[in-house]
Amino acid sequence: MQKKTKFRYSIFFKLIILFIIFIVLVNISIGFMFSHILKKGPFGFSDRLPVLINNYIVKQIGMHPDTVRIRDITKELESNIRIETPDMKWSSDESIPDINYLSKDADFKTSENSFIIRQKGRPYYISKYKDGFIIITPVMPRDLVNETDVIIAVIIIFTLLASLLYFSLRWIFGPIRKLSDGVALISEGNFNNNIDIDRKDELGSLSDSINEMKDNISEMIKSKESLLIDVSHELRSPLTRIKLANEFIEDKKINSRIREDVKEMELMISELLDTYRMENINSVSNKEKTDLIKLVKGVVSKYDPQIVILNSDVNEFPVFAESRKMETVFNNIIDNAIKYSDGKPVNINIYRQSQDENIICVSIKDKGKGIDKNEIKKIFEPFYRIDKSREKKILGYGLGLSLVKKIIEEHKAQIEVKSTPGTGTEFIISIPIFIQNNP
Ligand code: ADP
């Protein structure tokens, strides 16, 4: 039964948290960027500060200031000041423009009598008091925020945020790849490995469900297989009885038809039993150092040399294999090559692989009807025959190649099929050499 995912472990919850964090961080960085670029101070405080500074200056120097006092306060504040009254104009720095010039482009007001004016990119704080008393304080370069620095900082923050988002999403959806690999293995009929995802979210419970489903399917297949084997076994006795009873039927036509049918059933039963018996033999313990060339020569010797022609570049090649099973592989492929090519000669070539000298290839090539490209994968499935009606005349139950595939996998070998419909088919089996301590 599928476990219900707790909300706090769910992917949905993780995504919500992730997006909230992301939105908050993006807002903070956008706020930071704009507040600095607009010179408004990060949280809108700094525009009040110059008013306070100007008020402080007025308080210190009075409404009728003398220049000595102004100079002292300029030093104290480490800032430049321009003062304009109806009687005097005084500036600690000649480059500070006068009010008539500046007030042409005041860009915003900070209070009724205070302005910030930008001149050639430099802001000036202006405070007007009664009786035409004006103080202008330029923002010192040390107080200016460097816009390039802010942009670089924002780019870095966004890059970090985007990477954080990317790695978080990768972590959340990471197990999907494991899931799809696991499901692909199951669809190929491999029921031995569990999908291992140690998570409490939906993906964790999905992997648990897939593992459970895989185990159930595997059990079902096993019990169907054992039913098939039992039924096949049980069919042998009635078949023998039919064969015996058939001997007493005098009508030759009926007698031979029954004999043909019984023969066909016996073949099917023995193929089925052979296949499953072979699959269930403990493969590891029976493997041994075997000379593959000798083994193939032995198989080929059972066929007519006019039909099965052997060519070998190699005299000896040890492999780690179970002889009986490997013989079955070559028997099945050579039988097929003869069956599906109307008795045309079949060529067997043994050679070392060009990329890796430690791998031997056995090629079985026929000039038969060939196999369509999209059928090649299917011919290794149990009971699969390409064209059941056309191949009815050719005896077989589609079990041979499924057994071949299993044996090849057990031996860590490879099988490749190259075919051109109407021209012929080539099966190539590649097996690694036997190495004493590392078979
Ligand atoms: P079968 O008992 O039907 O021969 P196999 O598992 O050996 O079962 O082969 C499966 C199917 O693959 C065959 O029914 C046939 O359609 C196709 N096949 C196998 N070998 C060849 C070949 N050499 N040329 C053409 N078709 C082939």
Side-chain angles (χ1 to χ4, degrees):
M1 250 253 309
Q2 197 195 330
K3 279 182 276 165
K4 206 164 165 9
T5 313
K6 282 190 190 148
F7 183 67
R8 70 192 159 106
Y9 294 131
S10 72
I11 288 180
F12 184 62
F13 180 67
K14 282 177 194 152
L15 282 179
I16 290 177
I17 296 291
L18 190 66
F19 278 104
I20 289 174
I21 294 174
F22 191 71
I23 286 166
V24 169
L25 292 178
V26 164
N27 281 338
I28 291 175
S29 47
I30 288 176
F32 171 77
M33 176 173 72
F34 280 105
S35 62
H36 278 77
I37 284 177
L38 294 175
K39 304 288 176 295
K40 225 174 158 272
F43 302 101
F45 290 125
S46 68
D47 57 335
R48 300 294 311 156
L49 202 63
V51 178
L52 300 175
I53 291 173
N54 287 354
N55 287 347
Y56 174 78
I57 296 171
V58 173
K59 219 172 152 190
Q60 295 299 313
I61 59 176
M63 295 302 277
H64 302 284
D66 67 85
T67 46
V68 180
R69 185 81 192 105
I70 304 173
R71 217 166 254 135
D72 286 349
I73 202 89
T74 313
K75 272 196 193 127
E76 184 195 325
L77 294 176
E78 292 180 1
S79 176
N80 285 321
I81 300 173
R82 181 180 173 84
I83 293 189
E84 293 186 17
T85 68
D87 320 325
M88 67 171 287
K89 286 187 189 333
W90 185 90
S91 177
S92 65
D93 177 359
E94 286 310 312
S95 69
I96 303 175
D98 68 22
I99 187 68
N100 296 329
Y101 184 69
L102 283 174
S103 53
K104 273 186 265 163
D105 40 33
D107 56 4
F108 79 93
K109 246 183 192 178
T110 57
S111 75
E112 196 44 41
N113 287 312
S114 298
F115 308 86
I116 290 180
I117 292 173
R118 262 174 182 263
Q119 261 291 321
K120 291 181 185 149
R122 189 171 182 189
Y124 294 88
Y125 302 124
I126 299 162
S127 299
K128 284 185 176 174
Y129 299 89
K130 56 182 187 299
D131 304 331
F133 192 104
I134 297 168
I135 297 183
I136 303 168
T137 40
V139 176
M140 299 305 280
R142 60 162 193 269
D143 298 327
L144 277 173
V145 176
N146 185 336
E147 291 179 14
T148 323
D149 284 353
V150 173
I151 289 168
I152 290 173
V154 169
I155 290 173
I156 292 172
I157 291 170
F158 271 109
T159 314
L160 288 177
L161 285 180
S163 324
L164 177 80
L165 188 69
Y166 169 75
F167 285 110
S168 312
L169 287 175
R170 227 180 104 129
W171 176 75
I172 292 176
F173 295 109
I176 288 180
R177 174 169 245 151
K178 255 188 173 179
L179 273 173
S180 78
D181 289 352
V183 172
L185 272 180
I186 295 171
S187 74
E188 280 168 15
N190 185 334
F191 294 104
N192 298 327
N193 303 322
N194 270 348
I195 303 174
D196 187 20
I197 294 174
D198 186 19
R199 287 261 288 261
K200 289 177 179 155
D201 57 18
E202 290 91 334
L203 295 179
S205 66
L206 179 62
S207 79
D208 289 346
S209 307
I210 293 176
N211 286 337
E212 211 175 302
M213 181 189 76
K214 172 193 70 96
D215 291 343
N216 288 341
I217 294 176
S218 165
E219 272 309 306
M220 263 160 55
I221 292 176
K222 271 192 196 136
S223 55
K224 289 230 165 95
E225 275 180 2
S226 66
L227 176 77
L228 195 68
I229 292 168
D230 291 348
V231 171
S232 311
H233 253 297
E234 294 311 311
L235 276 175
R236 280 179 154 176
S237 325
L239 268 181
T240 318
R241 289 201 293 275
I242 292 171
K243 250 161 80 181
L244 267 174
N246 193 32
E247 296 306 313
F248 296 102
I249 294 175
E250 275 165 17
D251 186 327
K252 283 226 165 64
K253 225 169 149 190
I254 298 174
N255 178 291
S256 86
R257 202 181 304 150
I258 292 176
R259 192 179 302 142
E260 279 303 307
D261 286 346
V262 169
K263 210 171 126 194
E264 204 174 310
M265 282 178 82
E266 275 181 335
L267 178 78
M268 185 185 196
I269 288 169
S270 67
E271 245 188 62
L272 263 172
L273 291 177
D274 277 357
T275 305
Y276 288 110
R277 198 177 303 126
M278 193 88 58
E279 273 177 23
N280 293 321
I281 293 173
N282 183 348
S283 52
V284 183
S285 60
N286 296 323
K287 277 190 201 154
E288 57 189 4
K289 187 180 172 189
T290 310
D291 180 12
L292 190 79
I293 313 298
K294 208 168 143 193
L295 187 143
V296 177
K297 280 183 178 163
V299 174
V300 171
S301 68
K302 291 179 213 146
Y303 295 89
D304 180 347
Q306 306 278 324
I307 294 191
V308 180
I309 302 148
L310 176 70
N311 234 313
S312 174
D313 295 348
V314 193
N315 294 325
E316 209 182 1
F317 197 91
V319 293
F320 189 62
E322 194 181 330
S323 308
R324 232 189 93 205
K325 286 191 176 181
M326 284 315 283
E327 277 168 14
T328 306
V329 166
F330 294 113
N331 263 327
N332 283 352
I333 296 177
I334 297 172
D335 280 349
N336 280 349
I338 299 170
K339 268 199 306 192
Y340 299 105
S341 61
D342 304 321
K344 286 189 200 122
V346 172
N347 283 295
I348 300 181
N349 281 299
I350 308 177
Y351 53 91
R352 284 177 197 269
Q353 201 184 64
S354 51
Q355 303 99 306
D356 185 349
E357 286 273 293
N358 286 331
I359 290 180
I360 196 153
C361 300
V362 182
S363 139
I364 297 126
K365 198 171 181 181
D366 65 53
K367 297 191 180 76
K369 57 182 157 188
I371 305 169
D372 218 63
K373 206 174 159 204
N374 44 14
E375 299 278 2
I376 288 181
K377 234 183 159 181
K378 298 185 198 156
I379 57 173
F380 293 99
E381 290 167 14
F383 298 105
Y384 190 83
R385 305 197 79 202
I386 293 174
D387 186 345
K388 287 190 176 73
S389 57
R390 195 184 61 181
E391 281 162 8
K392 208 164 176 194
K393 285 171 266 139
I394 305 172
L395 270 185
Y397 298 96
L399 285 168
L401 288 183
S402 79
L403 183 61
V404 164
K405 189 179 161 221
K406 287 212 169 90
I407 299 173
I408 289 291
E409 279 168 4
E410 262 174 41
H411 285 79
K412 295 191 179 82
Q414 308 262 318
I415 185 160
E416 188 192 350
V417 184
K418 294 178 181 168
S419 189
T420 318
T423 308
T425 307
E426 182 181 13
F427 283 78
I428 304 166
I429 292 161
S430 329
I431 313 174
I433 197 166
F434 173 80
I435 297 166
Q436 198 63 43
N437 297 321
N438 184 20

